[in-house]
């Protein structure tokens, strides 16, 4: 079974608008961590934000925030005030328990229009 | 800043050739990982290593082997390259321990097997 599901293959967003990228996950481990990475056309994966399963508050990092809904097993990424440089592929990933490994979703391509 | 480097950005090899992909990290990380990235499938873990000479299979180890003789270097080996191994290969490293430690990625190697 897929551990991470990203249902949006591609999205367009107008510059300066906010965009929400969906991510749902599947785990039976009560301890887990959720990550979002950005991959520009250059190919390098850039870490954006992290949410732990026991964190009480939603994670935020600058223009990135993570809408964590534990009961629904969703961890959506919100990018506020989109910029042209935000055009990239975005991956949601999960680490379970003390495992070192990450499970990745299929990714969502975001294109920001001027 | 953590730096993860990969020996080649682009590589073209013939079917049946033995292929070495090298990865070096400069931050004394214990964990190192090899992923392959294919459209619509996200990143899939091939192998990872949590210490020198230690390795564990990931989700898709068939057709690959790895070597970690020094802490900073993790090599991926395709013993006999096949066309279905044409892909983007990403190396990553992370600290051992707390689950929140993110993985740092190299720029990737786009391998074409003809």
């Amino acid at each position: 079974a897929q551990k991470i599901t990203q249902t949006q293959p591609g999205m367009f967003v107008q510059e300066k608008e906010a965009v929400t990228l969906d991510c749902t996950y599947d785990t039976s481990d009560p301890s887990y961590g959720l990550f979002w990475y950005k991959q520009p056309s250059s190919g390098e994966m850039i870490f954006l934000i992290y949410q732990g399963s026991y964190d009480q508050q939603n994670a935020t990092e600058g223009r990135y925030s993570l809408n964590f809904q534990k009961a629904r097993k969703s961890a959506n990424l919100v990018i506020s005030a989109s910029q042209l440089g935000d055009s990239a592929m975005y991956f949601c990933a999960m680490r379970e328990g003390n495992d070192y490994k990450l499970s990745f979703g299929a990714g969502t391509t975001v294109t920001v229009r001027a | 800043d953590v730096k993860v480097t990969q020996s080649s950005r682009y590589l073209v090899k013939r079917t049946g050739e033995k292929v070495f992909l090298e990865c070096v990290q400069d931050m004394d990380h214990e964990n190192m990982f090899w992923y392959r990235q294919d459209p619509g499938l996200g990143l899939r873990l091939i192998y990872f290593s949590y210490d020198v000479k230690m390795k564990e299979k990931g989700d898709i180890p068939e057709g690959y082997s790895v070597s970690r003789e020094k802490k900073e270097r993790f090599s991926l080996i395709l013993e006999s390259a096949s066309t279905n191994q044409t892909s983007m290969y990403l190396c990553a490293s992370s600290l051992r321990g707390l689950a929140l430690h993110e993985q740092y990625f190299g720029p990737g190697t786009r391998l074409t097997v003809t």
Side-chain angles (χ1 to χ4, degrees):
Chain A
Q2 277 294 94
K3 291 191 176 183
I4 296 287
T5 302
Q6 294 180 255
T7 57
Q8 306 152 308
M11 299 182 71
F12 290 94
V13 60
Q14 207 62 32
E15 199 177 8
K16 298 180 185 175
E17 290 187 352
V19 61
T20 299
L21 308 183
D22 295 340
C23 173
T24 57
Y25 59 91
D26 183 26
T27 181
S28 57
D29 196 319
S31 176
Y32 53 90
L34 297 156
F35 300 77
W36 277 93
Y37 283 85
K38 172 184 178 182
Q39 187 181 43
S41 55
S42 58
E44 191 161 344
M45 298 279 282
I46 301 165
F47 166 71
L48 295 178
I49 196 166
Y50 168 85
Q51 180 84 43
S53 60
Y54 295 118
D55 293 344
Q56 295 297 315
Q57 295 192 330
N58 287 344
T60 61
E61 288 287 346
R63 293 187 298 111
Y64 304 108
S65 60
L66 202 151
N67 184 0
F68 182 46
Q69 298 188 44
K70 199 169 183 176
R72 297 180 60 187
K73 292 190 174 179
S74 78
N76 298 340
L77 177 71
V78 180
I79 306 173
S80 62
S82 296
Q83 302 172 357
L84 295 177
D86 293 334
S87 293
M89 181 163 277
Y90 290 81
F91 291 96
C92 181
M94 176 175 67
R95 175 183 285 148
E96 297 173 272
N98 291 321
D99 202 346
Y100 300 133
K101 298 178 289 186
L102 288 178
S103 298
F104 284 83
T108 297
T109 300
V110 172
T111 304
V112 181
R113 289 171 164 159
Chain B
D1 277 354
V2 175
K3 193 160 185 182
V4 181
T5 56
Q6 295 182 229
S7 49
S8 306
R9 290 302 302 270
Y10 300 93
L11 210 53
V12 179
K13 295 292 182 180
R14 293 199 180 274
T15 302
E17 277 193 79
K18 190 169 186 175
V19 181
F20 292 87
L21 301 183
E22 305 285 342
C23 175
V24 177
Q25 50 94 2
D26 66 358
M27 283 300 291
D28 205 34
H29 283 174
E30 294 88 356
N31 300 328
M32 295 189 76
F33 309 81
W34 275 107
Y35 296 90
R36 66 176 281 175
Q37 180 181 0
D38 300 289
L41 297 177
L43 277 71
R44 293 177 292 166
L45 182 66
I46 305 171
Y47 268 98
F48 76 100
S49 169
Y50 52 89
D51 206 343
V52 175
K53 296 192 186 294
M54 306 303 288
K55 62 186 179 185
E56 283 197 25
K57 293 180 180 179
D59 300 317
I60 51 164
E62 297 78 17
Y64 304 94
S65 62
V66 289
S67 172
R68 192 163 180 205
E69 296 296 319
K70 292 184 178 181
K71 191 175 185 179
E72 67 271 18
R73 188 179 297 268
F74 192 35
S75 302
L76 179 69
I77 303 154
L78 288 65
E79 294 289 342
S80 177
S82 64
T83 55
N84 64 11
Q85 291 178 311
T86 291
S87 187
M88 169 73 102
Y89 290 87
L90 290 162
C91 175
S93 71
S94 73
L95 286 167
R96 190 187 297 164
L98 295 176
L100 61 81
H101 284 303
E102 69 268 30
Q103 293 183 13
Y104 294 85
F105 284 82
T109 296
R110 191 167 291 281
L111 173 67
T112 302
V113 182
T114 61

